[in-house]
Amino acid sequence: TDLPPSCSRPVYCDSNLLHHVQMARIFNDSKTFVDLVMNYDEAKTLHDFDVLLNETDQNPSKKQLEAFVDQYFSEEGELEEWQPTDFCDNPEFLKLIRDKDLRKFGKGINDIWPLLARKVKPAVREKPEQFSLVPVTHGFIIPGGRFKEIYYWDTYWIIEGLLVSGMEDTAKGMIENLIELLVKFGHIPNGSRWYYQERSQPPMLTDMVALYYKYTQDLEFLKANIASLENEISYWLDTQAVSFDKDGEYYTLLRYYSPSAGPRPESYFEDYNVTIAMSEEERLDFYIDTKSAAESGWDFSSRWFVAADGSNSGDLTDLHTRYIIPVDLNAIFAGALKNVAHFHRLLNNGRKAAQYEVLLKQWMDTIQKVLWDDKDGIWYDYDFRDNRHRKYFYTSNVAPLWQGVVALDLVKTQGPKVVNYLKNSGGLDFPGGVPTSLKNTGEQWDCPNMWPPEVSIVVKALEHVGTKEASELAFDVAQTFVRACHSGFLQYKQMFEKYDAETPGELGGGGEYNMQYGFGWSNGVVLEMLNKYGSVLTANDSSD
Ligand SMILES: OC[C@H]1O[C@H](O[C@H]2O[C@H](CO)[C@@H](O)[C@H](O)[C@H]2O)[C@H](O)[C@@H](O)[C@@H]1O
């Protein structure tokens, strides 16, 4: 086919070596192998593996593969621990937290930052061709566990927490790292590994800059980086925009679309096994839709399943991400247009600002025309192949309010409808937070999993409605969330990547890898809530 491989580094993305090692299941987690460092250069590694293949009639045993990996790869050498110089163990925001248990919780979370802080070792810059890690200049906060590199959209919520903790320099460095990746690849990859080269993640760079600017008023930073922000917008328009017909009108919006050949290298065994009974054409499609789903950050979810009857039933073989126009992606993109227009206004570039404002208006109008369902009072993802809304509860449905990309008069008329939708959906009725969906598929971005960034999205969307009812509901959602994370923290002394909405503080589950601890965005969202509602939040009813 004409599709590129997952990345331009064969050892990590496109080789017999990758296939044999991953399919032999030498490691329990497929990501372990593609995170290893080569002991020799890539050409020698590939050549010597070919020799092994020839010597073994193309069929090396598991033991021979283990011996090869042992000799040619190592685990150490990429990252070192790092002490952010702006870390403070008693940041200001703690003083505003009324409840003493929650104040202690806030302190406990703040104390995790140094444990998740990393810097790339000089060796990676000296011999970059031997690493799957892509080097960046500044230190950064990792999500945690198996996720020991930079993740694009995670960085937004990590930065939100860092700014609450007063760590503005670290936040700035993390944005600069992403811009470095943008300059290198022409887009920001899913994460700072070569095997993520061909796909991105929700484009939240301008949101990060807006947040940083809110805290620092650093106009110089805007000036230095505005061109890169515009380049990212062009990348999404050039590669992910799709035009389609709805009720006789022609529209253009974005979708997630990551065309490259082969299984995801970091989940090679898992992807390959799903395709065993597929035809060649189905297999190619599956790999594209899988990677496109990973690009959405929601990997995996019934959101991207389109069964034969058009519903969100089925399993991974029903992934058809490329035909779905996602509410959140288009809201985030409109938000990026709004941010860049605003930055140009601040920089006195009136003409440029006006250009982005025109495109913003067009995007906001199209979101209304294509995604808004007036009867249900909510935005839905749209399946442009089958021409229908996907009328299911997903936290992403409220994203236009979260991003502030709904015209003011519509906020007044539609906002209360969204509040009703949420109240009647059942999605807010869980004791441990808001699950991403109400469908239990065993995939990690479905019920009963509650993902902290999505709770933040729901809270901010409700706050944006501006009515008393919506504000009270936002507080209730925040309170339930903080209490759940707090009880998990007391019990396990850990923060998780996702939680079980049915049992407050319990670990989430499902998906293809074990539970991960740390955890960057969970810490960020808890700090966001403590900072915002700290004077009224309580750890439990008896402390009311
Ligand atoms: O290895 C499987 C997948 O892991 C990542 O996805 C999950 O973790 C990320 C880091 O916290 C998060 O951004 C994402 O939303 C999670 O689903 C990775 O991003 C995927 O591309 C990868 O296939």
Side-chain angles (χ1 to χ4, degrees):
T1 73
D2 294 341
L3 293 179
S6 300
C7 79
S8 48
R9 306 286 304 279
V11 164
Y12 296 114
C13 289
D14 181 30
S15 57
N16 286 328
L17 169 59
L18 175 73
H19 178 78
H20 280 275
V21 171
Q22 293 291 42
M23 295 315 292
R25 208 62 181 149
I26 292 178
F27 303 103
N28 284 336
D29 184 336
S30 299
K31 188 171 180 295
T32 310
F33 174 62
V34 287
D35 289 354
L36 295 180
V37 180
M38 280 181 251
N39 293 337
Y40 309 98
D41 66 37
E42 185 159 65
K44 176 175 167 58
T45 309
L46 289 170
H47 170 269
D48 291 2
F49 189 73
D50 273 347
V51 171
L52 176 67
L53 282 183
N54 289 337
E55 284 170 2
T56 57
D57 203 14
Q58 310 297 312
N59 195 17
S61 66
K62 186 167 179 179
K63 224 168 151 196
Q64 286 168 316
L65 289 166
E66 278 167 347
F68 187 89
V69 170
D70 214 38
Q71 186 184 341
Y72 285 79
F73 292 87
S74 335
E75 266 177 51
E76 295 303 322
E78 304 177 307
L79 292 163
E80 55 198 17
E81 286 176 13
W82 169 64
Q83 181 66 37
T85 49
D86 53 358
F87 174 73
C88 156
D89 63 3
N90 194 16
E92 283 293 304
F93 82 94
L94 292 175
K95 295 192 186 120
L96 304 172
I97 304 174
R98 185 171 61 105
D99 183 300
K100 71 171 178 359
D101 293 323
L102 292 184
R103 207 178 316 124
K104 204 168 157 202
F105 183 34
K107 164 113 177 74
I109 302 252
N110 184 69
D111 286 345
I112 298 175
W113 291 133
L115 307 177
L116 297 174
R118 300 284 184 279
K119 207 167 164 66
V120 175
K121 282 190 181 175
V124 185
R125 230 160 272 123
E126 283 154 21
K127 290 189 174 171
E129 63 289 342
Q130 286 178 216
F131 295 82
S132 72
L133 188 75
V134 183
V136 290
T137 303
H138 305 282
F140 51 89
I141 303 296
I142 58 167
R146 74 200 281 276
F147 301 117
K148 53 195 174 165
E149 47 283 311
I150 295 172
Y151 281 82
Y152 181 7
W153 78 322
D154 297 50
T155 304
Y156 175 81
W157 287 281
I158 292 174
I159 285 180
E160 183 137 40
L162 289 174
L163 290 170
V164 170
S165 292
M167 296 170 68
E168 289 166 7
D169 290 345
T170 302
K172 181 181 181 187
M174 290 185 70
I175 298 173
E176 286 175 341
N177 285 340
L178 291 178
I179 291 174
E180 234 175 272
L181 294 171
L182 172 63
V183 170
K184 186 179 177 86
F185 292 104
H187 64 274
I188 302 179
N190 181 145
S192 58
R193 292 272 177 196
W194 275 98
Y195 52 76
Y196 289 139
Q197 180 184 359
E198 286 294 327
R199 63 181 190 262
S200 189
Q201 259 194 338
M204 296 182 65
L205 178 66
T206 68
D207 282 334
M208 299 180 209
V209 174
L211 206 52
Y212 173 74
Y213 182 78
K214 193 172 115 192
Y215 275 78
T216 60
Q217 269 81 56
D218 186 348
L219 260 189
E220 282 309 307
F221 187 77
L222 290 190
K223 206 172 179 177
N225 294 302
I226 187 86
S228 297
L229 305 187
E230 291 185 77
N231 288 343
E232 205 211 9
I233 286 180
S234 303
Y235 166 78
W236 280 84
L237 273 180
D238 293 347
T239 60
Q240 324 284 74
V242 61
S243 298
F244 54 91
D245 200 289
K246 178 177 184 270
D247 307 327
E249 295 282 334
Y250 211 52
Y251 298 103
T252 299
L253 283 171
L254 297 188
R255 59 173 166 168
Y256 289 108
Y257 186 56
S258 309
S260 68
R264 287 168 300 151
E266 80 288 2
S267 302
Y268 195 105
F269 178 83
E270 291 78 357
D271 286 357
Y272 190 89
N273 281 337
V274 176
T275 66
I276 287 209
M278 290 183 181
S279 68
E280 190 53 27
E281 197 186 336
E282 286 168 339
R283 186 172 300 154
L284 287 178
D285 281 349
F286 172 79
Y287 292 143
I288 294 174
D289 284 312
T290 311
K291 289 168 178 171
S292 305
E295 185 171 65
S296 78
W298 286 52
D299 46 324
F300 294 107
S301 165
S302 59
R303 243 187 114 186
W304 316 121
F305 293 173
V306 187
D309 62 0
S311 75
N312 68 344
S313 300
D315 57 27
L316 292 177
T317 61
D318 297 295
L319 282 174
H320 293 292
T321 322
R322 78 182 85 171
Y323 299 118
I324 297 171
I325 303 292
V327 177
D328 48 358
L329 172 60
N330 285 285
I332 291 168
F333 184 72
L337 297 172
K338 191 176 73 161
N339 288 331
V340 169
H342 179 57
F343 300 156
H344 273 306
R345 291 258 167 240
L346 291 168
L347 295 168
N348 287 323
N349 302 332
R351 283 172 74 123
K352 276 275 196 173
Q355 278 170 18
Y356 282 98
E357 281 155 3
V358 169
L359 191 53
L360 168 63
K361 176 156 186 345
Q362 185 189 319
W363 224 268
M364 283 166 57
D365 288 348
T366 312
I367 287 177
Q368 289 304 321
K369 286 186 183 137
V370 176
L371 306 176
W372 175 254
D373 181 310
D374 202 49
K375 184 161 165 286
D376 291 3
I378 191 67
W379 298 271
Y380 286 123
D381 294 337
Y382 184 73
D383 172 346
F384 69 84
R385 188 176 56 166
D386 292 342
N387 296 317
R388 58 174 128 184
H389 275 143
R390 295 178 58 80
K391 298 189 177 198
Y392 311 108
F393 171 87
Y394 293 114
T395 43
S396 47
N397 292 352
V398 301
L401 284 169
W402 161 55
Q403 281 288 331
V405 292
V406 184
L408 284 182
D409 55 327
L410 294 181
V411 174
K412 285 217 172 77
T413 52
Q414 296 182 343
K417 292 187 183 180
V418 173
V419 174
N420 277 340
Y421 166 84
L422 283 175
K423 280 169 61 182
N424 297 328
S425 66
L428 304 191
D429 301 342
F430 289 72
V434 188
T436 45
S437 86
L438 298 176
K439 197 169 176 81
N440 200 322
T441 60
E443 296 305 332
Q444 61 169 354
W445 284 84
D446 272 322
C447 201
N449 284 347
M450 175 273 270
W451 290 79
E454 293 296 318
V455 175
S456 169
I457 288 171
V458 171
V459 169
K460 282 187 177 149
L462 284 166
E463 285 167 349
H464 194 84
V465 174
T467 62
K468 185 164 176 287
E469 186 186 23
S471 304
E472 285 170 1
L473 204 53
F475 173 74
D476 289 347
V477 172
Q479 171 104 302
T480 306
F481 167 77
V482 170
R483 285 182 176 186
C485 296
H486 180 231
S487 86
F489 191 70
L490 290 180
Q491 195 181 345
Y492 297 102
K493 315 277 176 267
Q494 293 280 3
M495 290 294 291
F496 308 135
E497 153 199 56
K498 55 187 179 268
Y499 289 82
D500 179 350
E502 280 165 352
T503 319
E506 273 306 316
L507 294 66
E512 61 189 27
Y513 55 83
N514 293 335
M515 187 59 189
Q516 301 303 308
Y517 304 88
F519 196 91
W521 61 21
S522 309
N523 303 351
V525 178
V526 168
L527 293 189
E528 174 204 338
M529 301 301 169
L530 289 178
N531 188 44
K532 194 167 8 201
Y533 295 119
S535 60
V536 276
L537 280 174
T538 49
N540 47 57
D541 287 341
S542 59
S543 48
D544 274 344

